[in-house]
Amino acid sequence: MVTHHELFTDLNSWLRQRRALRAAGVSIGFVPTMGALHAGHLSLLKRSSEENDVTVLSIYINPTQFDNKDDLKKYPATIEHDLEIAKEAGVSFVLLPTFEQIYPDGYRYKITETDLSEKLCGAHRPGHFDGVLTVVLKLLNLAQANRAYFGEKDFQQLRLVAGMAEAFFIDTEIVAVPTVREIDGLAMSSRNINLPVDARGLAPLFYQALKTAPTTAEAEEILTLEGFSIDYIEDIDNRRYGAVKIGGVRLIDNVER
Ligand code: PAF
């Protein structure tokens, strides 16, 4: 296991490194994140370490995917802790780019998907998936990885990223990794640390209701009675998707049906 990693704040230096790795013929796994790493990210990093010679982690809080300025301000930044986790997980390279480096175009160019991105979270967070897909395309081009790892907790994001990779002939395999949950069922999320104690106590009911309520209407009813406010709960194909707010924090989750 690699016990140290190399940090890149300058993308030109990273691209030089990337050319050297290509010349050496090593396989690369890529895990894009916005930091505030938790056990869910750790499982992406571990999977990547198992399946590739080296793992590249990016930590970049992408402002273009936040439709709500307050959410961006409250988004946890825990870089020291993140670098510790990266070490534990055997990450070789960490990319820490700035806005100017990621968006030399000032976000004049963007990727828009016109169907799935307008549903579920897309219907509640205008422009969110444009921001996600645009930054992911930039990051995939920078990493030029053999495989890139995305968590199933953000299932809509995963489907949109996989669709984009196919549509634009991206030469990186998009790998889906199962959601990691707390013992009480709450899906791991960077936003969970913003939950006040009483809301943290109620939060596992969200997963329970998604899993056990016979209909979406019943799930909504149970959660509303418990004090959740519902963004949406919807069944699409063989999956139930939900987004709710509790204690001022927005939670999303999904279950197979
Ligand atoms: O899932 C996330 O953390 C982000 O949406 C991603 C994929 C890193 C893009 O900013």
Side-chain angles (χ1 to χ4, degrees), residues 32-34 41 60 62 65 75 132 135-136 139 150 154 157:
T33 76
M34 300 203 296
H41 296 111
Y60 177 64
N62 172 38
Q65 72 188 72
Y75 202 83
V132 168
V135 82
V136 169
L139 292 168
F150 292 84
D154 300 314
Q157 165 174 285

Side-chain angles (χ1 to χ4, degrees), residues 79-236:
I79 187 72
E80 300 294 324
H81 159 89
D82 292 350
L83 295 177
E84 275 308 310
I85 295 214
K87 259 182 214 165
E88 270 172 48
V91 168
S92 303
F93 303 101
V94 183
L95 311 185
L96 290 167
T98 60
F99 179 84
E100 285 70 27
Q101 289 188 314
I102 292 288
Y103 292 100
D105 60 323
Y107 197 41
R108 284 185 302 123
Y109 290 89
K110 56 182 86 167
I111 297 289
T112 302
E113 193 274 357
T114 58
D115 181 16
L116 176 59
S117 75
E118 293 179 359
K119 306 188 166 114
L120 305 171
C121 281
H124 292 263
R125 304 184 66 189
H128 169 65
F129 286 117
D130 288 1
V132 168
L133 291 176
T134 303
V135 82
V136 169
L137 183 62
K138 287 168 183 268
L139 292 168
L140 288 174
N141 282 333
L142 286 163
Q144 300 164 45
N146 299 73
R147 299 175 193 84
Y149 296 81
F150 292 84
E152 289 186 345
K153 191 211 141 229
D154 300 314
F155 207 87
Q156 188 179 12
Q157 165 174 285
L158 165 66
R159 280 185 58 191
L160 286 165
V161 166
M164 173 180 73
E166 203 182 334
F168 290 94
F169 310 103
I170 298 293
D171 198 14
T172 298
E173 182 192 341
I174 305 300
V175 182
V177 181
T179 303
V180 179
R181 298 181 180 281
E182 302 280 3
I183 283 167
D184 60 17
L186 176 65
M188 297 279 176
S189 164
S190 302
R191 290 181 178 85
N192 290 352
I193 60 177
N194 291 334
L195 282 167
V197 179
D198 50 341
R200 174 63 190 82
L202 291 168
L205 293 174
F206 176 35
Y207 173 57
Q208 287 304 326
L210 287 181
K211 222 172 41 164
T212 58
T215 63
T216 57
E218 281 160 281
E220 289 193 15
E221 198 185 313
I222 296 164
L223 292 170
T224 306
L225 281 173
E226 294 289 348
F228 289 79
S229 81
I230 313 289
D231 264 10
Y232 64 81
I233 295 182
E234 268 178 61
D235 293 341
I236 300 184

